[in-house]
Amino acid sequence: MFRLNLKIALRNLWKNKVYTAINIGGLAIALSAFILVAIYVRFETSFDHNVPNHENIYLLGRTLPDRKTNYTSLSLAQALKEAIPEIENVGRSKKTNFEFAFSTPDGRVYGKDVITIDYTLAKMFHIKPEGGLVKPEGEALNVYLPQEFITAMFPKKTPVFPAKVSIGPLEVKQYADVSGIVNHNVAHSNLVFDALLITADVGKNQEPTAYNYFTYIQVKPGTDMAQLQKKVAAVYKEELKKSAVTAVVNRGSVESKIANEVNLVTNTNKADQSGVFLDPLDNLHLRPIAGNNTNYKVVMALSALTVLVMVIACINFTNLTIAQTNKRAKEVGVKKVLGAYRLSLVFQFLIEILMQCLVALILAIILAEISLPLFNDAFSVSFSLWKDNYELVWQLPIVLLIITLISGIYPALILSGFRPVAVLKGNLQTSYKTLWLRNALLVTQFTVAIVFMAGLLIVSSQLKYMRTEDTGFKAGQVVYIKNIVMFGRPYFENLKARILEMPGVNSFTVASDIPDGSRPGRVDYAMEGKDLGMDIVHVDFDYFETLRLNLKDGRFFSKTYPADAENGIVLNEAAVAAYGVKNPVGKIIRGCDMDYRIVGVVKDAKMQGFETAVEPTVYAIKSDCANDKMKFMVNVDPDHMAGVLAALKSNWKDLNKMDGDDFRYEFMDELYGRLFKKQEQLQAVFYGAAILTIFIATLGLFAFSAFTITSRMKEISIRKVLGASDFNILSLLNSFFIRIVLIANLIGWPIAYIAAQRWLETFAYRIDLPILPFFIAGSISIILTLLTVSFQARNAVKTNPVDALKYE
């Protein structure tokens, strides 16, 4: 019996080759997208899952009156360890603010992300250098580099460790021993580094109240996190108050004591206004408390869109299977008369559908393998279909069974439910009984397609706005020159004078930060009795001119006014608004233990992109509280760009004797453009989803309209005999499907509008939600419907009525 049912299934599939191909093709395309996205989602949601007890590790952060930050003080870690028994381990890390150069006579590499961690944190994150993790003695530092760094510096053979390498510029002649190779997948971890320094105690002999450390805690399994949060908050407030008391005791002069007693009151107030939070390690990549959740939005969008594509494919499959039920009616009737049970018929039809789904899955795997390079390029990943994705071996069969049941259970019940007497008499009403379901499924398909089309157009509009809107500065002809050393003003002035002599150079400056989306340091400033935390950018003369920021009031820094280099300061519009002062130029603002005079107000510049509002920012030439000025920027005339870069490269060693080993640069507009990467990925997601849903929905419409027109051939012939024109017939056949698509638009537009509105709300600077994308999506859906149905209807219009009515 099984062989007989298999033969019947194969014959039916072959007999209806067009419908079978559409069913299998649509499902294969959706499944290939599902496979790729499943790999991506698994990767994005499993950061640091190789770390033992990763679910019990938390990053400590602070909630301040105006922001959230992951930076904590050095003293807090030890205080938590001593005060709270639920905390098993506490680890700390600290970033460097500049690149490290590691070199040998055979090669040179630059570590952009160099971090120092303590031995405890290395154990928490399961760091395993080749040769094993060794606890450093005393104040020693064990330096570990990744394999690619070692290969670049020692291209001939792997050295015997510890291996001596040069640190920093070659002229400095500073050396260090590399302890070994560390194999850590930074692409899949929240602990990101190019080079790793491990010490017994991070920050030993450093200022205990400095807020530039990351603190991780590992709690005991089963810990009540709500209670732990309260205990950590209590310890944090005590440490904050202690730091102010310590500062008062340590300062000797009367003036310093008075100033620090004021700080004591200020810090006590801050303790009441601020708090701490515990951010789970599992959340840090996608939904960090102190950070943005763009990664999470992309993952959720991909997941939701892929599920919808799969739903459309299953709907398409179900719709076409139901549409062909009449062709199998007599087969079912005969089998029932011969004694077949309904359960056996359901099983038979499910086997047929399973066969189609299995072929679709095989094709999907092939399509996924072919599409993988494009997917990797779009999302800046390097996935392999099977490497590190062994779960697919058992997950795909489960997906196959689920799709078979979703797509086939209802058609199987319909087919097996025919009544033999009615079927054998030719009384078939099944098509009408299932008409409501087929129409609903078709509406659902086009609704999803319309949502995706409208979403794609809105995402593209926001991206176009971000690329073309005035950012408040001009990065188009600015070159960022990388530098790894600190220097004094006389040295920089000499370097600047020589570079300005080059034809085509408009200006040259140095600053602590560049507009690449990174956040500068933050310092508290007080003016007219109001104390605010503000971003601080450490700049030099010509900074504003180099980036071509726009002046609103006062003036920029100028060498004509020598005081600018000592206590001059420029605020942005956001800072002036935060203080609520009028005419701020000339007023005094205090921060970093000194008084500054405001010389100008610059218009707001979107240095961190469009997702976050411009922060209140101060620009100062002299500030002991800001990051060091190490980042060179040169504004070059576009017509001389190639010549200037060539001249700088050839003369760099002579120009910059402190750090002239390599001339490394990036174009500022390219750096800033990387801030849009995730949104461009989201656009790619919508683009792919829109194409897939439109294609699958059109395939379904093509097959469904072909079946509908074929079943109405006699009606069409009678109408032609009674005098109906070709246009009348085409209008009749199109009107039904146009109504379906119009209903889909009425449902899809509000869904797309709400989803787009919520997405746009994540941007501080965004477009007004346009109406045009909805009309464009509706027009495309109607045009595709007219073309698809008319293409099918042309044969019906041309058919001779005699051929359809000759048996009547």
Side-chain angles (χ1 to χ4, degrees):
M1 180 62 73
F2 178 79
R3 291 180 63 186
L4 176 62
N5 287 333
L6 183 61
K7 286 182 179 179
I8 293 172
L10 291 174
R11 285 172 182 170
N12 277 311
L13 293 176
W14 182 252
K15 185 179 178 180
N16 300 284
K17 294 185 288 291
V18 175
Y19 294 102
T20 301
I22 290 175
N23 266 349
I24 293 175
L27 199 55
I29 292 170
L31 273 170
S32 65
F34 179 84
I35 291 170
L36 293 176
V37 172
I39 294 173
Y40 180 76
V41 171
R42 177 191 170 276
F43 175 82
E44 289 289 306
T45 56
S46 59
F47 269 54
D48 288 320
H49 278 203
N50 64 311
V51 175
N53 299 312
H54 62 86
E55 67 278 3
N56 295 320
I57 297 176
Y58 296 80
L59 175 63
L60 196 66
R62 295 182 296 142
T63 302
L64 303 177
D66 55 346
R67 72 192 188 282
K68 291 182 175 66
T69 177
N70 289 325
Y71 286 106
T72 52
S73 67
L74 177 64
S75 62
L76 184 59
Q78 188 60 34
L80 291 173
K81 178 69 174 174
E82 294 173 354
I84 304 176
E86 291 92 336
I87 297 178
E88 286 188 332
N89 288 305
V90 178
R92 290 170 299 201
S93 71
K94 184 179 180 181
K95 289 183 177 181
T96 58
N97 293 324
F98 50 89
E99 291 181 298
F100 272 86
F102 301 92
S103 54
T104 67
D106 298 321
R108 183 176 179 85
V109 293
Y110 288 88
K112 181 179 179 182
D113 295 307
V114 180
I115 64 171
T116 304
I117 67 174
D118 54 32
Y119 176 73
T120 305
L121 187 61
K123 290 196 299 180
M124 286 171 61
F125 271 85
H126 211 49
I127 302 294
K128 288 187 174 180
E130 293 185 8
L133 180 64
V134 179
K135 185 175 182 178
E137 297 181 1
E139 299 181 15
L141 281 173
N142 289 347
V143 181
Y144 295 96
L145 300 178
Q147 179 65 60
E148 56 267 29
F149 276 24
I150 297 296
T151 302
M153 291 189 297
F154 302 94
K156 298 177 183 178
K157 63 177 182 178
T158 302
V160 177
F161 296 106
K164 182 169 290 188
V165 298
S166 173
I167 302 291
L170 295 175
E171 294 291 332
V172 177
K173 298 183 179 347
Q174 182 178 353
Y175 300 93
D177 288 332
V178 175
S179 303
I181 299 172
V182 58
N183 296 314
H184 180 70
N185 187 6
V186 295
H188 203 208
S189 175
N190 292 291
L191 196 65
V192 179
F193 55 82
D194 292 325
L196 183 66
L197 284 62
I198 300 179
T199 181
D201 184 13
V202 171
K204 189 173 183 180
N205 301 324
Q206 300 296 315
E207 175 60 47
T209 58
Y211 286 90
N212 54 359
Y213 296 87
F214 294 95
T215 303
Y216 295 85
I217 64 171
Q218 180 180 337
V219 303
K220 295 178 180 178
T223 298
D224 186 336
M225 295 308 300
Q227 290 299 319
L228 180 65
Q229 173 78 39
K230 294 179 181 178
K231 293 181 179 180
V232 171
V235 173
Y236 164 71
K237 290 183 182 295
E238 285 300 316
E239 285 299 305
L240 194 60
K241 293 175 182 177
K242 285 179 184 178
S243 65
V245 172
T246 302
V248 171
V249 172
N250 290 341
R251 294 287 181 92
S253 67
V254 175
E255 293 81 1
S256 296
K257 277 204 169 186
I258 293 173
N260 279 282
E261 284 170 358
V262 173
N263 288 338
L264 173 59
V265 176
T266 302
N267 278 4
T268 303
N269 292 335
K270 286 183 179 178
D272 295 330
Q273 297 173 11
S274 63
V276 289
F277 58 82
L278 301 176
D279 205 355
L281 184 62
D282 285 346
N283 284 359
L284 290 182
H285 176 63
L286 292 179
R287 291 186 293 175
I289 295 176
N292 69 69
N293 62 347
T294 304
N295 287 333
Y296 178 73
K297 287 186 287 187
V298 172
V299 169
M300 292 305 296
L302 264 177
S303 303
L305 298 184
T306 305
V307 169
L308 288 175
V309 169
M310 283 300 304
V311 168
I312 286 181
C314 292
I315 287 173
N316 196 54
F317 196 104
T318 302
N319 221 357
L320 294 182
T321 305
I322 293 174
Q324 299 177 73
T325 53
N326 287 354
K327 294 183 179 181
R328 308 290 299 276
K330 289 186 179 180
E331 174 196 338
V332 173
V334 170
K335 284 186 175 181
K336 281 195 170 183
V337 169
L338 295 175
Y341 291 102
R342 185 176 186 182
L343 184 61
S344 64
L345 291 173
V346 169
F347 183 74
Q348 174 198 334
F349 293 130
L350 284 177
I351 290 297
E352 290 183 21
I353 293 168
L354 176 63
M355 291 169 57
Q356 295 179 68
C357 292
L358 179 59
V359 174
L361 180 59
I362 294 171
L363 289 176
I365 293 173
I366 296 172
L367 286 174
E369 189 69 53
I370 294 172
S371 305
L372 196 58
L374 293 175
F375 187 86
N376 285 341
D377 184 60
F379 290 91
S380 302
V381 291
S382 55
F383 295 148
S384 171
L385 199 58
W386 300 109
K387 184 181 179 182
D388 299 326
N389 291 295
Y390 308 112
E391 295 89 346
L392 289 176
V393 174
W394 61 266
Q395 289 174 346
L396 289 180
I398 294 175
V399 171
L400 175 64
L401 292 175
I402 292 173
I403 290 174
T404 300
L405 291 174
I406 292 175
S407 304
I409 193 67
Y410 189 80
L413 292 174
I414 292 294
L415 283 165
S416 63
F418 283 120
R419 296 170 60 186
V421 175
V423 167
L424 297 177
K425 285 182 177 180
N427 183 18
L428 301 176
Q429 299 296 324
T430 307
S431 294
Y432 297 100
K433 291 179 181 178
T434 59
L435 183 62
W436 65 271
L437 177 62
R438 284 180 285 158
N439 292 347
L441 294 178
L442 198 58
V443 167
T444 303
Q445 279 184 303
F446 273 95
T447 297
V448 175
I450 288 160
V451 169
F452 286 165
M453 282 191 286
L456 170 63
L457 294 171
I458 292 168
V459 170
S460 300
S461 297
Q462 174 65 16
L463 269 174
K464 181 180 179 181
Y465 166 80
M466 291 163 63
R467 294 190 186 104
T468 58
E469 178 66 9
D470 181 20
T471 59
F473 66 96
K474 301 290 190 302
Q477 59 193 64
V478 179
V479 178
Y480 159 50
I481 303 175
K482 298 182 179 181
N483 173 64
I484 62 172
V485 297
M486 294 174 283
F487 41 78
R489 173 162 292 280
Y491 177 87
F492 172 72
E493 290 297 335
N494 179 60
L495 172 64
K496 181 176 182 177
R498 294 186 63 185
I499 290 179
L500 288 176
E501 291 174 354
M502 294 181 179
V505 173
N506 298 323
S507 61
F508 179 75
T509 191
V510 66
S512 60
D513 300 273
I514 58 175
D516 60 352
S518 59
R519 288 294 300 270
R522 202 163 178 95
V523 176
D524 288 339
Y525 285 86
M527 182 168 59
E528 296 188 351
K530 192 171 185 178
D531 190 23
L532 292 174
M534 292 195 290
D535 289 352
I536 168 69
V537 181
H538 207 182
V539 302
D540 208 280
F541 293 105
D542 296 330
Y543 170 83
F544 302 104
E545 291 82 356
T546 300
L547 289 173
R548 289 180 289 175
L549 279 82
N550 299 310
L551 183 67
K552 183 179 180 181
D553 192 14
R555 59 177 176 80
F556 291 142
F557 296 127
S558 172
K559 292 182 179 179
T560 306
Y561 303 90
D564 286 358
E566 294 298 324
N567 67 344
I569 204 166
V570 172
L571 307 183
N572 68 349
E573 291 177 296
V576 175
Y579 281 113
V581 297
K582 295 182 179 180
N583 303 319
V585 175
K587 293 186 177 180
I588 300 298
I589 182 171
R590 183 172 181 81
C592 199
D593 291 333
M594 67 176 290
D595 291 332
Y596 291 89
R597 184 175 297 279
I598 300 170
V599 301
V601 177
V602 67
K603 290 186 177 180
D604 287 341
K606 302 177 183 68
M607 301 289 190
Q608 281 82 42
F610 286 72
E611 293 186 51
T612 57
V614 174
E615 293 285 344
T617 306
V618 300
Y619 302 87
I621 291 181
K622 179 182 179 180
S623 176
D624 294 333
C625 299
N627 294 329
D628 293 306
K629 294 185 280 189
M630 298 177 58
K631 298 181 178 180
F632 297 138
M633 288 177 283
V634 55
N635 189 302
V636 183
D637 189 292
D639 296 333
H640 294 82
M641 183 66 74
V644 169
L645 291 176
L648 285 170
K649 183 176 182 179
S650 61
N651 297 300
W652 190 243
K653 192 169 186 65
D654 179 58
L655 286 169
N656 186 9
K657 295 184 183 300
M658 293 181 67
D659 178 28
D661 300 315
D662 295 296
F663 177 67
R664 300 176 301 131
Y665 69 92
E666 290 188 73
F667 292 108
M668 193 67 70
D669 54 350
E670 292 180 1
L671 271 176
Y672 190 75
R674 292 174 194 168
L675 299 179
F676 308 149
K677 183 65 176 178
K678 286 298 180 181
Q679 303 306 331
E680 289 171 350
Q681 290 178 353
L682 192 61
Q683 183 188 36
V685 169
F686 270 93
Y687 183 79
I691 295 296
L692 284 178
T693 53
I694 292 169
F695 179 71
I696 294 173
T698 304
L699 278 181
L701 179 64
F702 179 86
F704 189 41
S705 61
F707 173 81
T708 302
I709 291 169
T710 302
S711 66
R712 298 180 67 179
M713 281 302 298
K714 291 180 180 179
E715 174 194 346
I716 293 169
S717 297
I718 292 171
R719 288 179 180 273
K720 291 186 73 174
V721 169
L722 295 176
S725 65
D726 291 352
F727 180 77
N728 294 142
I729 300 299
L730 287 174
S731 299
L732 173 69
L733 295 175
N734 275 296
S735 60
F736 168 74
F737 292 102
I738 293 298
R739 285 197 298 270
I740 292 290
V741 173
L742 288 175
I743 293 171
N745 275 278
L746 291 176
I747 297 173
W749 286 2
I751 296 173
Y753 181 89
I754 294 170
Q757 187 69 40
R758 295 191 64 178
W759 176 70
L760 287 173
E761 286 174 357
T762 63
F763 293 90
Y765 307 99
R766 55 184 179 267
I767 59 173
D768 294 326
L769 188 57
I771 302 299
L772 186 60
F774 301 98
F775 287 106
I776 293 176
S779 300
I780 292 174
S781 63
I782 291 172
I783 291 171
L784 286 175
T785 301
L786 287 171
L787 291 175
T788 304
V789 176
S790 297
F791 179 80
Q792 291 288 347
R794 78 189 194 286
N795 290 329
V797 171
K798 294 177 181 179
T799 300
N800 190 334
V802 175
D803 295 332
L805 300 173
K806 62 183 178 181
Y807 294 112
E808 294 297 324

